[in-house]
């Protein structure tokens, strides 16, 4: 038996033993490259409108460009590289069944049709692999998550628009109802639960006396009300349930299905599969039971007598099949079990001799998506029928991808940022109880907001509602404030990162002030809904004192390019307390006289803020 | 690291950059080789990191933070290379038997092979911590600084990594995944 000290000694010795190799050759190549490679400028364009990538924005973009042209300004391209459209040509075969494919290629995330065709770049980042570290797509197919180069988790909608960001978590997975995400915190001591607005909803502590999670991901309970974790304690595993309402963790009985090895719940939460090792059996066995543990039956043996079972069970979306690794004679096959009949077919023979390649199901439960080396030796993304036939190359060079579980366009549920009740009555529903006559009830990421819309934006509620964490209202150019945003409580766009950064820091005013490149032009105290609030007018130095970005659609893909229009705009932030968190409203001004106009009596943006109510 | 050199390179002084890169190159290659376990990928990662240093230096606000910042670029490049390679394929590069055995009693080909296989099963984050701590001999707080994560996280990763290595060595050639499915 190796001791910890032995292990450390051997590892250190091994690491130090490797012979020295000089970097002289590659160093010269780098120095040669530097001769022709310019350095990046320190100041980046720190802002763009957080608008949707839709054809509907074309009108706004056109209007902005027109305004710039009218006042004699030149539209210039920003000095940051624009995202390339499309990925590499995918070698594909005929048709795949439905769904949207998200994949990573060289540290870049792409969205594509199910057969890998028509790729569109989403952003830099990596997908987590589903068989042990959580899920990529939400069960309703509306959103997916990936981790960017900085380790921040980005949430995107099914069209590739980033709608929220939150601190890095590990083994992140979606709740069964697609409204929450849970994952380890970076210090692996707590489970963080985020909403789809990117706001931290809960931070679940481990039971008292337990230091940290241990070698296991958290799993959503089938009802979505708690996260189940396995905690290793003195060489034995304990299963615990951490309720997301913050109530005390509960230890699960050792025969609880979740306490079993490799347990996996079906997507409808009704059944569970797990692995057991009966004392008399030559190899571990696969058991399927009801979610409560009843009606358990052994459905398969997982390995040959001398092999190690390698499970990683994945239910098909329809709950009819289980895919898993099976070790045979030292090789690892990817097999599919028909749960009803017990029939096992080999989808990918000799899948691997080392490690466990990622795989996932197609939305129609008829094919498997997997990553494996092709003829050239490089890993590519493939799909295959469950019986091993119809193997197709989807994306050459991609190391991982995931298929949306259902067509996002078919997904049910309310869109974010919607108008719930524009004409409330005295007998309105509880959610509309606080709506005043003449006001509309708008829901932002689950929060109800009652608004009275000034004439300037009447009939435009909301125009986008794209991110789920804000609503946007468009004015016309002449009134000074072009676009208004109302962020969900605790949320705001980080203008220095061109992305959503949620939740807001403890002191959002101070946070805003210190953002690189952002200059506060004016600042004063005001009142919003009886609460003290802070108003900041901001701009950027170095670009003629002001800026605005417009996003212009390019081609037919729906993607956009950003153009900076120096010298024509500014932003106004209004920040105030709402209960335990902060609210931020923001307006973009366009035009030389914007500030003056905005300060004028009856400014519609300020009137809009003053009229906000939170039922 | 000479802060003055960093400041000069930040302003576009190629000679200053060349001196910085020369100082870093061998160390970067050694670290990246140990993390990605492939000479070609390590060279690519090193090259990419050195070039990124040049390109992104103007954006480094505090020259005194150059070393930590440059290692982060290296680790990012290593990570990208790791993602490109066949992460689960054998791809073993067993050192030739006649390679000088400079250290100790544990340098047999078999032992190295076991260590190699065990190490390859670690995640990138775990490998990085092991190499920075056990190869560069950096204390955990420095490793945390380089990685930009809390010390507790480094502790945790190191613990998991060494435990994984131990399990693999204990199990001889048995796949370490047995631990993962307990």
């Amino acid at each position: 038996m190796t001791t910890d000290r032995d292990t450390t000694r051997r590892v250190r010795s091994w690491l130090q033993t490797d012979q020295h190799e000089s970097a002289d050759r590659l160093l010269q190549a780098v120095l040669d490259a530097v001769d022709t490679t310019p350095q990046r400028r320190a100041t980046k364009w720190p802002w763009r409108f957080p608008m949707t990538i839709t054809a509907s924005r074309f009108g706004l973009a056109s209007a902005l460009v027109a305004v710039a042209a009218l006042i004699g300004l030149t539209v210039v391209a920003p000095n940051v590289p624009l995202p390339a459209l499309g990925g590499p040509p995918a070698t594909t075969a005929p048709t795949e069944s439905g769904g949207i494919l998200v994949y990573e290629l060289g540290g870049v995330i792409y969205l594509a049709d199910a057969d890998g065709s028509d790729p569109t770049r989403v952003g830099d980042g990596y997908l987590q692999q589903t068989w042990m570290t959580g899920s990529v797509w939400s069960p309703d197919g509306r959103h997916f998550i990936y981790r960017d180069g900085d380790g921040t988790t980005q949430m995107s909608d099914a069209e590739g628009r980033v709608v929220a960001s939150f601190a890095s978590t590990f083994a992140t997975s979606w709740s069964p109802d697609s409204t929450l995400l849970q994952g380890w915190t970076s210090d692996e001591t707590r489970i963080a639960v985020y909403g789809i607005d990117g706001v931290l909803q809960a931070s679940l502590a481990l039971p008292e006396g337990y230091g940290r999670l241990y070698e296991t991901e958290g799993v959503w309970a089938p009802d979505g009300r708690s996260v189940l974790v396995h905690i290793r304690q003195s060489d034995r595993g304990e299963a615990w349930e951490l309720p997301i309402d913050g109530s005390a963790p509960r230890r699960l009985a050792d025969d609880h299905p979740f306490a079993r090895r490799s347990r996996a719940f079906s997507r409808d939460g009704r059944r569970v599969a797990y692995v057991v090792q009966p004392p008399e059996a030559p190899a571990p066995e696969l058991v399927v039971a009801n979610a409560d543990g009843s009606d358990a039956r052994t459905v398969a043996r997982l390995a040959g007598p001398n092999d190690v079972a390698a499970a990683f069970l994945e239910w098909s979306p329809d709950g009819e099949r289980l895919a898993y690794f099976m070790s045979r004679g030292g090789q690892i096959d990817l097999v599919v079990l028909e749960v009803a009949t017990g029939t096992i077919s080999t989808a990918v023979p000799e899948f691997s001799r080392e490690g466990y390649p990622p795989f996932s199901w197609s939305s129609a439960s008829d094919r498997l998506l997997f990553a494996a080396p092709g003829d050239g030796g490089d890993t590519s993304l493939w799909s295959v029928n469950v019986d091993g036939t119809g193997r197709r190359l989807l994306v050459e060079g991609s190391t991982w991808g995931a298929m949306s579980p259902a067509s996002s366009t078919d997904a049910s549920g309310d869109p974010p940022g919607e108008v719930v009740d524009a004409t409330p009555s005295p007998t309105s529903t509880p959610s509309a109880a606080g709506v005043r006559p003449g006001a509309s009830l708008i829901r932002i990421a689950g929060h109800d907001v009652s608004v009275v819309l000034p004439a300037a934006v009447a009939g435009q509620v909301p125009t986008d509602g794209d991110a789920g964490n804000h609503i946007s209202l468009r004015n016309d150019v002449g009134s000074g404030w072009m676009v208004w945003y109302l962020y969900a409580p605790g949320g705001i766009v980080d203008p220095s990162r061109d992305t959503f950064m949620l939740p807001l820091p403890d002191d959002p005013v101070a946070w805003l002030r210190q953002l690189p490149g952002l200059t506060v032009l004016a600042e004063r105290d005001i009142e919003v809904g009886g609460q003290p609030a802070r108003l900041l007018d901001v701009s950027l130095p170095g670009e003629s004192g002001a800026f605005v970005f417009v996003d212009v659609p390019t081609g037919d893909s729906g993607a956009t390019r950003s153009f900076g229009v120096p010298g024509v705009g500014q932003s106004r932030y209004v920040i105030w307390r709402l209960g335990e968190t902060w609210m931020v409203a923001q307006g973009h001004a366009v035009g030389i006289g914007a500030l003056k106009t905005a300060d004028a009596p009856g400014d519609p943006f300020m009137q809009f803020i003053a009229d906000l109510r939170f039922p | 690291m000479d802060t003055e050199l960093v400041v000069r390179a930040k302003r576009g002084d190629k000679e200053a950059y060349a001196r910085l890169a020369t100082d870093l190159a061998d160390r970067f290659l050694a670290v990246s080789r140990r993390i990605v376990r492939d000479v070609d990928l390590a060279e690519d990662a090193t090259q990419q990191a050195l070039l990124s240093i040049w390109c992104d230096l103007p954006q480094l606000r505090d020259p005194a933070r150059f070393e930590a910042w440059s290692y982060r670029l290296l680790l990012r490049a290593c990570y990208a290379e790791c993602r490109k390679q066949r992460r689960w394929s054998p791809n073993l590069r067993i050192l030739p038997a006649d390679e000088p055995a400079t250290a100790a009693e544990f340098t047999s080909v078999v032992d190295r092979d076991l260590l190699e296989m065990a190490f390859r099963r670690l995640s990138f984050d775990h490998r990085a911590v092991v190499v920075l701590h056990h190869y560069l001999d950096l204390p955990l707080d420095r490793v945390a600084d380089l990685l930009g994560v809390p010390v507790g996280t480094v502790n945790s990763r190191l613990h998991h990594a060494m435990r994984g290595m131990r399990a693999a060595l204990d199990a001889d050639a048995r796949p370490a995944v047995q631990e993962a499915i307990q």
Side-chain angles (χ1 to χ4, degrees), chain A residues 2 4 9-10 12 14-15 19 23 25 37 40 104 129 186 188 214-215 354 356 377 399, chain B residues 26 34 37 43 54-56 83 86-88 99 105 111 134 137 153 159-160 163 166 170 177:
Chain A
T2 311
D4 286 340
R9 191 157 54 98
R10 292 172 75 176
R12 289 182 73 90
W14 171 65
L15 287 172
Q19 62 184 349
R25 184 177 55 78
T37 306
R40 295 191 181 105
E104 65 177 55
Q129 296 168 1
S186 59
E188 299 176 32
Y214 217 87
E215 289 186 346
E354 181 180 325
Y356 298 88
T399 48
Chain B
D26 282 357
R34 280 157 179 80
R37 312 309 303 170
E43 288 188 346
W54 165 253
C55 292
D56 294 339
R83 302 294 295 206
R86 296 182 297 161
R87 285 164 290 184
W88 44 85
E99 207 167 49
E105 61 271 36
D111 201 46
H134 286 310
D137 273 333
T153 303
H159 175 79
H160 287 309
R163 191 177 180 284
R166 179 181 166 185
D170 270 348
V177 74

Side-chain angles (χ1 to χ4, degrees), chain A residues 390-484:
Chain A
R391 183 164 166 163
R392 298 170 185 159
L393 175 62
L394 295 181
V395 185
E396 190 168 8
S398 168
T399 48
W400 186 223
M403 203 74 78
S404 65
S407 170
S408 61
T409 55
D410 296 337
S412 59
D414 297 331
E418 60 170 338
V419 178
V420 177
D421 186 356
T423 55
S425 69
T427 57
S428 54
T429 61
S431 65
V435 181
R436 294 159 293 153
S440 297
L441 182 69
I442 293 175
R443 186 166 291 158
I444 314 171
H447 299 275
D448 291 342
V449 183
S450 169
V451 295
V452 175
L453 296 169
V457 291
Q460 300 182 49
V461 187
T463 53
D464 290 327
D466 55 329
N469 55 12
H470 73 270
I471 61 166
S472 57
L473 304 170
R474 294 179 189 161
N475 196 352
D476 59 69
V477 176
S479 68
W481 295 103
M482 273 294 299
V483 185
W484 313 343

Side-chain angles (χ1 to χ4, degrees), chain A residues 1-4 6-27 29-31 33-44 104 106 126-129 132 147 149-150 170 184 186-188 212-215 230 232 235 261-263 308-312 351-358 371-373 377-379 399-400 516, chain B residues 9-12 14 17-18 21-22 25-26 29 33-34 37 39 43 46-47 50-51 54-59 61 76 79-80 83-90 92-93 95 99-100 102-107 111-112 114-117 119-121 125 130-131 133-135 137 150 152-153 155-157 159-160 162-163 165-166 169-170 174-175 177-182:
Chain A
M1 195 73 173
T2 311
T3 64
D4 286 340
D6 285 341
T7 306
T8 300
R9 191 157 54 98
R10 292 172 75 176
V11 170
R12 289 182 73 90
S13 172
W14 171 65
L15 287 172
Q16 302 288 346
T17 298
D18 273 3
Q19 62 184 349
H20 172 78
E21 287 188 12
S22 168
D24 290 349
R25 184 177 55 78
L26 70 89
L27 179 62
V30 170
L31 296 178
V34 162
D35 276 338
T36 56
T37 306
Q39 289 184 309
R40 295 191 181 105
R41 285 177 50 187
T43 304
K44 295 191 294 184
E104 65 177 55
Y126 302 95
L127 297 174
Q128 59 178 353
Q129 296 168 1
M132 202 165 71
R147 188 178 297 187
D150 295 329
F170 299 97
W184 297 348
S186 59
D187 61 1
E188 299 176 32
R212 61 166 59 103
L213 293 170
Y214 217 87
E215 289 186 346
H230 231 222
R232 185 68 63 85
D235 290 333
R261 286 167 52 181
S262 301
R263 70 282 158 201
V308 175
F312 303 124
F351 199 3
S352 167
R353 284 190 171 270
E354 181 180 325
Y356 298 88
D378 290 333
T379 297
T399 48
W400 186 223
Chain B
K10 187 171 151 66
R11 292 179 186 147
K14 291 178 181 171
Y17 167 78
T22 304
D26 282 357
L29 182 61
R33 265 199 62 200
R34 280 157 179 80
R37 312 309 303 170
V39 174
E43 288 188 346
T46 302
Q47 205 160 333
L50 291 174
L51 199 55
W54 165 253
C55 292
D56 294 339
L57 248 182
Q59 298 177 32
R61 287 189 212 170
R76 194 176 297 175
Y79 187 57
R83 302 294 295 206
K84 284 182 196 168
Q85 74 167 326
R86 296 182 297 161
R87 285 164 290 184
W88 44 85
S89 67
L92 292 178
R93 184 175 177 275
L95 298 175
E99 207 167 49
T102 55
E105 61 271 36
F106 296 114
T107 49
D111 201 46
R112 285 188 197 176
L114 284 179
L115 286 159
E116 181 82 39
M117 285 194 293
F119 193 75
R120 280 171 178 275
R121 291 196 184 98
D125 288 341
V130 170
V131 170
H133 182 61
H134 286 310
Y135 173 66
D137 273 333
T153 303
N155 251 319
S156 165
R157 289 181 187 174
H159 175 79
H160 287 309
M162 297 310 288
R163 191 177 180 284
M165 293 291 287
R166 179 181 166 185
L169 294 171
D170 270 348
R174 187 183 63 184
V177 74
Q178 200 171 32
E179 293 292 319
I181 62 171
Q182 292 294 313

Side-chain angles (χ1 to χ4, degrees), chain A residues 242-261:
Chain A
L242 311 179
I244 62 173
D245 64 5
S247 53
R250 296 186 286 269
R251 169 120 189 243
L252 301 175
D254 288 342
D255 61 353
H256 187 281
F258 180 74
R260 307 287 193 169
R261 286 167 52 181

Side-chain angles (χ1 to χ4, degrees), chain A residues 200-456:
Chain A
L200 183 67
Q201 304 284 332
S203 179
L204 309 180
L206 297 178
E208 197 169 342
Y210 290 77
R212 61 166 59 103
L213 293 170
Y214 217 87
E215 289 186 346
T216 181
E217 69 276 28
V219 173
W220 284 98
D223 64 5
R225 293 179 180 172
S226 58
V227 177
L228 309 176
V229 296
H230 231 222
I231 306 171
R232 185 68 63 85
Q233 184 77 345
S234 304
D235 290 333
R236 65 189 172 84
E238 290 181 6
W240 286 77
E241 181 176 22
L242 311 179
I244 62 173
D245 64 5
S247 53
R250 296 186 286 269
R251 169 120 189 243
L252 301 175
D254 288 342
D255 61 353
H256 187 281
F258 180 74
R260 307 287 193 169
R261 286 167 52 181
S262 301
R263 70 282 158 201
F265 292 101
S266 61
R267 295 196 184 179
D268 63 7
R270 292 180 181 173
R271 287 194 288 182
V272 63
Y274 55 84
V275 175
V276 296
Q277 172 67 73
E280 69 283 4
E285 294 174 352
L286 178 58
V287 174
V288 170
N290 293 331
D292 62 3
S294 64
D295 196 23
R297 61 190 175 94
T298 299
V299 291
R301 183 172 293 161
L302 280 178
N306 297 314
D307 288 327
V308 175
F312 303 124
L313 310 171
E314 275 284 325
W315 285 90
S316 59
D318 64 6
E320 300 294 322
R321 297 173 169 132
L322 273 165
Y324 56 93
F325 293 113
M326 186 162 173
S327 179
R328 287 189 278 217
Q331 72 180 38
I332 296 167
D333 298 338
L334 179 59
V335 302
V336 173
L337 169 78
E338 301 283 346
V339 176
T341 63
T343 306
I344 296 175
S345 53
T346 302
V348 186
E350 298 187 53
F351 199 3
S352 167
R353 284 190 171 270
E354 181 180 325
Y356 298 88
F359 69 89
S360 66
W361 282 94
S362 69
S363 53
S365 302
D366 58 347
R367 291 176 70 79
L368 287 161
L369 188 73
F370 65 98
D375 293 340
D378 290 333
T379 297
S380 293
L381 200 58
W382 304 78
S383 70
V384 68
N385 290 329
V386 293
D387 62 359
T389 62
R391 183 164 166 163
R392 298 170 185 159
L393 175 62
L394 295 181
V395 185
E396 190 168 8
S398 168
T399 48
W400 186 223
M403 203 74 78
S404 65
S407 170
S408 61
T409 55
D410 296 337
S412 59
D414 297 331
E418 60 170 338
V419 178
V420 177
D421 186 356
T423 55
S425 69
T427 57
S428 54
T429 61
S431 65
V435 181
R436 294 159 293 153
S440 297
L441 182 69
I442 293 175
R443 186 166 291 158
I444 314 171
H447 299 275
D448 291 342
V449 183
S450 169
V451 295
V452 175
L453 296 169

